[in-house]
């Protein structure tokens, strides 16, 4: 087997199955903008082209070991294909791609032709359906009309009524609305909400610097103002439906993925296949100039790997480095990401900010200053039905990890609120909670980054359980958390922060040594990148952004590579939650050696299991060095309450790569157990497994299966590459995993959700060579 490519893969493919439309929308990017290549293309994609396209997608999925791919049927209007041709297309897609990877099929339609016959067909093939609607009748009729000028509104509403039926409801993925600032924003929002959609997508009309968007005399931030009004109403309503634009901004404010190419710095993983089999970039580029989306490749002459490696896509996958200088300097770049690539075009290049730059900045600042209150709900509410399947994917799933991160964020916020609600009026920690709440209004990203640190949750759980006094902080540690968030946000605060055993620790930031104080309190003052700590006659002043220890200052260091940063956590007092003892503060030489080993291990993970690297990039927050054991055997650990934290002894890069993947699997399982009941607590069971001499409870066995399956996969890849000792290691881990799956399955100790997870893992393991 050839080695897995390290470059990022494409995971979403848009198939233009029909190149004409039954509507004549005047804002359509296919027909009404600069690129007119539709005129020379076949009206429909032939079965030969579709099978060739499906073959390229399957080939790409196999090469990159993708757990799933998405294929979106598009046009034009895909329903013009008709039921018979549509059935053949769906049959061919499932037949060619289905045996290789999990295939998700979607469709974007204007809804005019949607009928029960189509509904039954789409349900049979499990096709999700997005429908375009711009609001109420008047708003929709501004653009979405037939060529005769007649309204399409009644036909679209009939389609939505069909999708709301129980037989088809699961197919409906949501509404797509293109913003027109002439429409009243609240009326549009209420009209869309009245259709009870599962999701709403608000899109800015396609425009660029050569063809700027109409603003109807409402100023340079007309679109930002319009979107602000909808956001405020949505927020006041308690977020009754996901709206992707706002959800993306809230996610990126916490350091999470954007989930869209419209915002953020997520790598673009989409390609388009036209009716004639030509590979193209995103359709939105048709608004730039004639031929802008072209790659010069077809499914008959070039693979998806060729497309992914093309210069056209390379820039769009380059993140911050692919942006112009003005964007790179912008304070909201992590959330904006420069906006949609097509919207940056002007005067022959894409180095501009988005033509909606001022609008996006206004909206982002407003959202950050006015975050919504958490919506009380079950932890699994709003999570996709297939999350368990995706978490079982043998090659990882970055989006699923992002959803786990969001769930963890909600848990930590609830825990912090629980600590605050137990504070007596004016008690220790009250100032910290007030400061944290204020920071959350004005700098939610900073609060999110600090509270996402694994050991903040450990402290909160201990504090609520009455055990935090073991480390001496109690609720007063809220002041330390708030001070750390203020440093991240560069916002001035003055807070009383606890000192225990002569150490004042600020999570994610560092530790001030105050041996004269012992146990007590110090006044912490944060201002303009400086930290001043005063306790009695002792004052310590440091520049928090300056690396290197001073006699009293031990900053938290980071392990950094080109595309990931993980804290090297050798100072947080709550890292002691791991079952193995952590090391003390590393000297500079040891820290540098850890940095080099981590960088080498990261390169190995990216090369051998790129999907796992994507997961770790999203979810791994901290690496805790452990004391070396006397045996010299590499050891590692995770902790139940410390999602995203991994502890390990110093070892070589190859071993560290395996340990990181193995332990992060345990971290993922802990996060899943926060959301789902996987083990039936009423059926206590012990199972004997190959990796332990003592019988293990069902939950521990499920943990082990999940982790060992990932390790077996690494050794399988190394065995294919003929690495010494790899085949024996692969067989050992594979056999352990397979035998434990069988033993656990026979116990009837799992819930339906746990059984579903086990089945998915078993399916992957069954496909491995003996």
């Amino acid at each position: 087997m050839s080695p897995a490519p390290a470059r990022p893969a494409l995971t979403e493919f848009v198939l233009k199955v029909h190149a004409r439309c039954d509507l004549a929308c005047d804002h359509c990017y296919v027909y009404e903008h600069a690129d007119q290549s539709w005129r020379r293309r076949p009206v429909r994609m032939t079965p030969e082209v579709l099978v060739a396209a499906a073959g390229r997608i399957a080939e790409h999925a196999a090469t990159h070991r993708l757990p799933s791919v998405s294929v979106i049927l598009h046009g034009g209007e895909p329903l013009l294909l008709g039921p018979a041709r549509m059935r053949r297309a769906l049959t061919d897609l499932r037949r060619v791609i289905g045996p290789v990877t999990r295939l998700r099929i979607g469709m974007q339609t204007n809804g005019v032709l949607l009928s029960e016959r189509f509904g039954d067909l789409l349900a049979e093939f499990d096709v999700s359906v997005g429908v375009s609607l711009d609001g109420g009748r008047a708003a929709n009729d501004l653009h979405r009309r037939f060529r005769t000028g007649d309204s399409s509104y009644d036909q679209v509403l009939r389609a939505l009524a069909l999708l709301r039926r129980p037989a088809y409801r699961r197919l409906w993925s949501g509404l797509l609305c293109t913003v027109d600032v002439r429409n009243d924003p609240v009326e549009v929002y209420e009209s869309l909400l009245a259709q009870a959609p599962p999701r709403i997508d608000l899109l800015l009309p396609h425009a660029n610097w050569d063809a700027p968007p109409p603003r109807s005399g409402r100023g340079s931030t007309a679109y930002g103002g319009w979107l602000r009004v909808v956001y405020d109403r949505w927020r006041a309503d308690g977020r009754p439906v996901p709206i992707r634009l706002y959800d993306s901004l809230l996610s990126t404010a916490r350091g999470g993925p954007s989930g869209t190419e419209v915002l953020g710095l997520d790598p673009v993983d989409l390609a388009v296949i036209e009716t004639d089999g030509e590979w193209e970039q995103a359709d939105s580029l048709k608004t730039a100039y004639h031929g802008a989306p072209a790659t010069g490749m077809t499914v008959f002459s070039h693979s998806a790997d060729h497309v992914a490696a093309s210069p056209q896509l390379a820039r769009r996958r380059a993140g911050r480095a692919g942006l112009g200088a003005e964007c790179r300097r912008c304070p909201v770049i992590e959330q904006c990401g420069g906006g949609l690539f097509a919207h940056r075009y002007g005067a022959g290049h894409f180095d501009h900010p988005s033509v909606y730059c001022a609008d996006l900045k206004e909206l982002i600042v407003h959202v950050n200053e006015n975050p919504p209150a958490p919506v009380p709900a079950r932890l699994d509410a709003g999570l996709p039905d297939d999350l368990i399947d995706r978490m079982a994917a043998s090659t990882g799933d970055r989006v699923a990890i992002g959803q786990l991160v969001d769930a963890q964020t909600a848990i930590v916020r609830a825990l912090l609120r629980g600590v605050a609600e137990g504070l007596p009026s004016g008690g220790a920690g009250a100032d910290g909670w007030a400061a944290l709440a204020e920071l959350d209004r004005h700098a939610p990203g900073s609060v999110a980054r600090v509270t996402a640190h694994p050991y903040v949750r450990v402290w909160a759980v201990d504090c609520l359980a009455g055990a935090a006094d073991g480390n001496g902080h109690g609720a007063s540690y809220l002041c330390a958390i708030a001070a750390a968030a203020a440093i991240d946000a560069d916002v001035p605060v003055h807070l009383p922060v606890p000192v225990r055993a002569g150490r004042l620790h600020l999570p994610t930031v560092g530790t001030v040594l105050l041996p004269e104080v012992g146990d007590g309190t110090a006044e912490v003052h944060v201002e303009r990148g400086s930290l001043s700590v005063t306790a009695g006659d002792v004052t310590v002043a440091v520049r928090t952004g300056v690396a290197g220890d001073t006699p009293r200052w031990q900053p938290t260091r980071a392990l950094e590579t080109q595309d990931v940063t993980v804290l090297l956590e050798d100072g947080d007092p709550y890292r002691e939650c791991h079952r193995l003892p952590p090391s003390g503060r590393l000297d500079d030489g040891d820290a540098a050696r850890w940095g080099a080993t981590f960088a080498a291990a990261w390169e190995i993970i990216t090369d051998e299991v790129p999907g796992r690297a994507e997961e770790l990039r999203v979810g791994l927050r901290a690496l805790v060095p452990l004391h070396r054991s006397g045996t010299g055997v590499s050891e590692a650990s995770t902790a139940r309450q410390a999602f995203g934290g991994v502890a390990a002894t110093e070892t070589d890069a190859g071993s560290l790569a395996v340990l990181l993947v193995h332990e992060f699997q345990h971290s993922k399982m802990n996060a899943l157990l926060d959301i789902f009941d996987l083990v039936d607590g009423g059926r206590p069971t012990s199972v004997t497994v190959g990796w332990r001499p003592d019988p293990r409870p069902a939950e521990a066995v499920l943990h082990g299966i999940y982790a060992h399956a990932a390790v077996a996969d690494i050794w399988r890849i190394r065995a294919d590459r003929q690495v010494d000792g790899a085949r024996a290691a692969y067989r050992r881990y594979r056999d352990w995993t397979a035998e434990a799956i069988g033993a656990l399955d026979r116990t009837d100790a799992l819930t339906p959700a746990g059984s579903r997870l086990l089945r998915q893992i078993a399916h992957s393991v069954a496909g491995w060579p003996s």
Side-chain angles (χ1 to χ4, degrees):
M1 181 181 294
S2 59
R7 62 180 175 274
L10 301 173
T11 61
E12 186 170 328
F13 300 86
V14 175
L15 264 59
K16 297 302 195 75
V17 295
H18 202 287
R20 301 296 184 269
C21 189
D22 45 358
L23 295 185
C25 307
D26 58 11
H27 55 12
C28 181
Y29 52 78
V30 175
Y31 308 110
E32 303 297 333
H33 284 268
D35 184 89
Q36 292 291 297
S37 59
W38 66 272
R39 297 180 182 277
R40 64 174 174 79
R41 299 193 194 280
V43 172
R44 292 183 295 271
M45 180 178 284
T46 66
E48 292 74 23
V49 171
L50 187 137
V51 169
R56 289 300 192 186
I57 295 169
E59 171 189 57
H60 192 66
T63 299
H64 292 265
R65 305 184 187 93
L66 298 179
S68 65
V69 295
S70 296
V71 171
I72 310 300
L73 305 182
H74 214 283
E77 170 51 52
L79 292 180
L80 284 172
L81 205 59
R85 290 190 178 95
M86 181 68 75
R87 174 175 289 280
R88 178 168 181 178
L90 295 173
T91 299
D92 286 340
L93 288 170
R94 291 283 184 206
R95 175 178 59 81
V96 176
I97 303 173
V100 176
T101 186
R102 181 157 187 233
L103 172 61
R104 299 185 181 91
I105 305 178
M107 173 188 295
Q108 187 63 39
T109 175
N110 59 39
V112 168
L113 295 176
L114 196 61
S115 62
E116 286 188 5
R117 185 179 178 188
F118 264 125
D120 291 342
L121 176 63
L122 299 176
E124 179 184 345
F125 286 90
D126 197 23
V127 179
S128 63
V129 181
V131 179
S132 301
L133 181 73
D134 288 349
R137 183 182 297 276
N140 201 64
D141 285 353
L142 276 178
H143 302 286
R144 299 189 185 278
R145 291 179 173 271
F146 291 97
R147 300 186 195 287
T148 61
D150 292 341
S151 169
S152 65
Y153 185 70
D154 290 332
Q155 290 92 327
V156 178
L157 257 57
R158 280 198 294 272
L160 299 181
L162 182 76
L163 288 171
R164 286 194 296 271
R165 293 186 193 176
Y168 309 120
R169 177 75 191 189
R170 67 180 175 84
L171 305 178
W172 191 13
S173 60
L175 290 175
L176 185 153
C177 170
T178 300
V179 172
D180 189 317
V181 293
R182 292 174 292 176
N183 295 324
D184 180 88
V186 172
E187 286 184 5
V188 168
Y189 167 76
E190 290 178 341
S191 298
L192 299 176
L193 201 61
Q195 300 303 320
R199 185 174 188 161
I200 295 172
D201 221 346
L202 298 174
L203 298 186
L204 293 168
H206 288 310
N208 55 55
W209 293 101
D210 288 351
R215 296 187 180 272
S216 302
R218 300 190 182 188
S220 61
T221 58
Y223 292 89
W226 195 97
L227 292 167
R228 278 182 57 174
V229 172
V230 176
Y231 172 78
D232 287 342
R233 174 59 185 276
W234 176 72
R235 176 175 173 265
D237 286 348
R239 294 182 284 165
V241 62
I243 297 182
R244 183 163 68 163
L245 177 68
Y246 305 138
D247 288 335
S248 176
L249 292 178
L250 294 170
S251 175
T252 52
R254 300 190 298 267
S258 71
T260 171
E261 66 170 329
V262 174
L263 293 167
L265 296 172
D266 290 4
V268 174
D269 57 359
L270 175 147
V272 177
I273 303 174
E274 287 284 358
T275 53
D276 56 1
E278 289 188 20
W279 287 104
E280 286 202 338
Q281 300 179 75
D283 271 349
S284 56
L285 287 171
K286 293 180 183 293
T287 62
Y289 57 89
H290 184 70
T295 64
M297 306 181 198
T298 76
V299 294
F300 299 104
S301 61
H302 292 83
S303 69
D305 269 5
H306 287 111
V307 178
S310 66
Q312 296 99 321
L313 261 72
R315 177 175 179 181
R316 299 182 63 207
R317 300 164 76 88
R320 185 192 293 264
L323 300 174
E326 183 177 348
C327 283
R328 292 197 300 271
R329 292 193 299 266
C330 181
V332 298
I333 187 57
E334 298 292 335
Q335 291 174 270
C336 172
L340 189 68
F341 189 75
H343 294 172
R344 304 175 210 162
Y345 181 75
H349 62 84
F350 293 90
D351 290 333
H352 304 283
S354 169
V355 72
Y356 294 104
C357 175
D359 300 281
L360 292 172
K361 187 175 292 185
E362 177 177 306
L363 176 64
I364 290 168
V365 170
H366 181 72
V367 169
N368 289 349
E369 291 181 348
N370 299 274
V375 179
R378 289 169 33 242
L379 284 173
D380 59 347
L383 291 172
D385 292 338
D386 64 350
L387 179 61
I388 284 180
D389 298 336
R390 295 170 68 176
M391 291 300 297
S394 62
T395 52
D397 190 313
R398 175 178 61 87
V399 174
I401 299 303
Q403 291 159 344
L404 279 191
V405 169
D406 288 344
Q408 288 294 308
T409 298
I411 291 169
V412 173
R413 290 178 72 92
L415 290 170
L416 292 175
R417 190 177 301 105
V419 171
E421 288 172 353
L423 290 170
S425 178
D431 291 343
W433 177 246
L436 202 60
E438 182 68 16
L439 283 163
D440 201 33
R441 283 191 286 273
H442 299 292
S446 294
V447 173
R449 279 186 286 276
V450 173
T451 56
H453 190 51
Y455 306 105
V456 169
R457 173 172 168 174
V458 173
W459 158 78
V461 170
D462 284 353
C463 191
L464 289 169
D469 285 339
N471 282 305
H473 294 118
S476 62
Y477 197 60
L478 282 167
C479 293
I481 296 169
I487 290 169
D488 185 272
D490 197 16
V491 171
V493 295
H494 190 108
L495 291 167
V497 176
V499 182
R500 293 296 177 263
R503 301 172 67 83
L504 183 150
H505 183 73
L506 304 178
T508 76
V509 178
T511 302
V512 179
L513 303 181
L514 298 167
E516 302 90 340
V517 178
D519 293 342
T521 301
E523 295 298 317
V524 169
H525 186 69
V526 175
E527 187 168 11
R528 296 180 183 176
S530 294
L531 170 67
S532 177
V533 178
T534 301
D537 296 332
V538 178
T539 297
V540 179
V542 296
R543 300 288 294 178
T544 56
V546 178
D549 292 8
T550 66
R552 290 186 178 270
W553 172 236
Q554 296 178 343
T556 302
R557 293 170 292 205
L559 304 166
E560 296 181 282
T561 73
Q562 186 175 4
D563 58 350
V564 69
T565 299
V566 175
L567 294 181
L568 180 63
E569 188 54 86
D570 58 358
D572 194 296
Y574 295 96
R575 76 193 191 283
E576 296 177 2
C577 61
H578 292 282
R579 61 182 175 81
L580 300 169
S583 72
R585 176 72 175 182
L586 301 179
D587 62 32
D588 289 343
D590 287 341
R593 193 166 57 249
W594 265 100
T597 304
F598 177 81
W602 184 255
E603 186 174 346
I604 291 169
I605 295 170
T606 304
D607 174 53
E608 292 181 341
V609 281
R612 300 294 184 196
E614 290 295 314
E615 288 191 334
L616 288 161
R617 188 179 292 115
V618 174
L620 183 63
R621 295 283 187 267
L623 179 58
V624 174
L626 295 174
H627 271 300
R628 294 187 182 94
S629 66
T631 65
V633 176
S634 300
E635 295 183 291
S637 172
T638 49
R640 176 66 182 87
Q641 304 296 346
F643 175 77
V646 170
T649 53
E650 188 173 359
T651 186
D652 62 274
S655 298
L656 181 60
V658 175
L659 291 177
L660 288 173
V661 171
H662 178 272
E663 295 302 327
F664 192 63
Q665 288 292 102
H666 284 300
S667 204
K668 287 160 55 183
M669 178 58 71
N670 286 331
L672 274 176
L673 288 165
D674 282 333
I675 302 168
F676 300 104
D677 290 325
L678 301 178
V679 177
D680 187 344
R683 297 174 180 270
T685 304
S686 293
V687 178
T688 300
V689 293
W691 59 86
R692 288 284 293 261
D694 53 323
R696 305 292 291 155
E699 183 176 303
V701 175
L702 188 61
H703 255 284
I705 288 169
Y706 197 55
H708 286 125
V711 173
D713 197 39
I714 294 176
W715 286 114
R716 178 177 64 85
I717 292 165
R718 292 180 180 181
D720 287 340
R721 299 178 178 185
Q722 299 183 345
V723 174
D724 288 346
R727 187 158 301 280
Y730 161 62
R731 288 174 176 163
R732 180 169 64 253
Y733 281 96
R734 179 204 61 195
D735 292 348
W736 280 351
T737 305
E739 290 166 4
I741 288 171
L744 184 58
D745 191 42
R746 290 189 293 271
T747 65
D748 198 27
L750 301 181
T751 65
S755 295
R756 181 174 176 175
L757 179 68
L758 190 69
R759 284 196 304 272
Q760 294 295 330
I761 300 171
H763 178 73
S764 297
V765 173
W768 291 345
S770 57

